[in-house]
Amino acid sequence: MGEKKVMTRREFVKDASIAAAGAGAAFTIVPRHVFGKGMTPPSDLLNIAGVGVAGMGRVNLINLASQNIVALCDVDWGYAGKSFARLDGEMQALNARIAAPDPEQQQQGKPLIPFDREQTKARLAGMQRLKDVHLPKAKRYTDYREMLEKQKDIEGVLIATPDHMHAPIALAAMELGKHVYVQKPLTWCVAEARQLAKRRTGNARRDTDGQSRTFA
């Protein structure tokens, strides 16, 4: 068996970042290794856990669906479950939009924005893979501490919880040597930012390192 390919955190956030930018959202960029180029063999997929998986967390999971999503954590599975239940209807709407012709002229007062069918097809494929492949097998938790303690196969952690939990979860994951992607804002206060910076110094390969950017 060949040596397992080293993947970068920068490419880990690449797909997740596409969704944030397209939705007019803001995100925190985490540099370096995660994905290989082209077709990736299963042995080279990154095992990802999501914490806070409704809302933008779900958007990020769709864009990371090419990887191996092994765990999902949310304190409100009633709300998160409804978010995942909407996938079918959203996929139907995307299929209808792909099949529909482009408008020949712009609506009054609105600019004509070109429709990217290839990008939409890629998003649709991610939604389908999340629904069919990942959701049935990913282990579910309500407490990220239990998830990190029990599930030893996690390599990268996506964090899209309310702001005040971003740094605590990122630090807990980094203490265990995990890659992390954190939704904006990276931290709630300067003291938390300093904690993350200190942890980064101790383990530069597997930490959160980036800046908040707002896409308008």
Side-chain angles (χ1 to χ4, degrees), residues 164-184:
H164 68 285
M165 289 304 299
H166 286 183
I169 299 171
L171 283 167
M174 290 159 62
E175 288 286 345
L176 296 174
K178 314 298 184 185
H179 300 295
V180 294
Y181 169 87
V182 188
Q183 272 291 333
K184 172 259 181 188

Side-chain angles (χ1 to χ4, degrees), residues 23-173:
F27 66 97
T28 299
I29 297 177
V30 185
R32 295 207 276 262
H33 300 285
V34 179
F35 295 144
K37 295 182 179 180
M39 299 300 292
T40 306
S43 60
D44 284 352
L45 297 180
L46 188 71
N47 290 337
I48 295 173
V51 186
V53 296
M56 280 306 300
R58 193 197 72 156
V59 172
N60 295 144
L61 288 172
I62 289 169
N63 286 275
L64 291 170
S66 63
Q67 298 303 295
N68 190 27
I69 298 171
V70 297
L72 301 170
C73 180
D74 203 287
V75 296
D76 187 351
W77 274 105
Y79 178 70
K82 290 177 182 178
S83 178
F84 290 130
R86 292 197 297 270
L87 283 171
D88 281 327
E90 292 173 9
M91 287 190 289
Q92 290 178 5
L94 284 180
N95 273 316
R97 180 63 185 90
I98 291 170
D102 291 333
E104 296 182 0
Q105 59 185 13
Q106 68 184 47
Q107 298 180 15
Q108 186 175 3
K110 295 183 178 181
L112 183 62
I113 301 175
F115 176 63
D116 190 330
R117 280 182 168 76
E118 292 307 311
Q119 186 179 49
T120 304
K121 289 177 182 178
R123 174 169 175 77
L124 187 61
M127 296 169 75
Q128 193 74 57
R129 181 170 171 80
L130 177 64
K131 176 180 178 290
D132 295 343
V133 177
H134 300 308
L135 292 182
K137 69 177 179 60
K139 295 180 181 178
R140 299 190 178 193
Y141 300 87
T142 56
D143 189 325
Y144 73 92
R145 294 164 297 187
E146 178 187 9
M147 180 188 75
L148 292 174
E149 179 183 356
K150 289 185 175 180
Q151 196 150 342
K152 305 302 183 183
D153 60 341
I154 295 170
E155 296 172 293
V157 181
L158 159 69
I159 302 166
T161 60
D163 299 353
H164 68 285
M165 289 304 299
H166 286 183
I169 299 171
L171 283 167

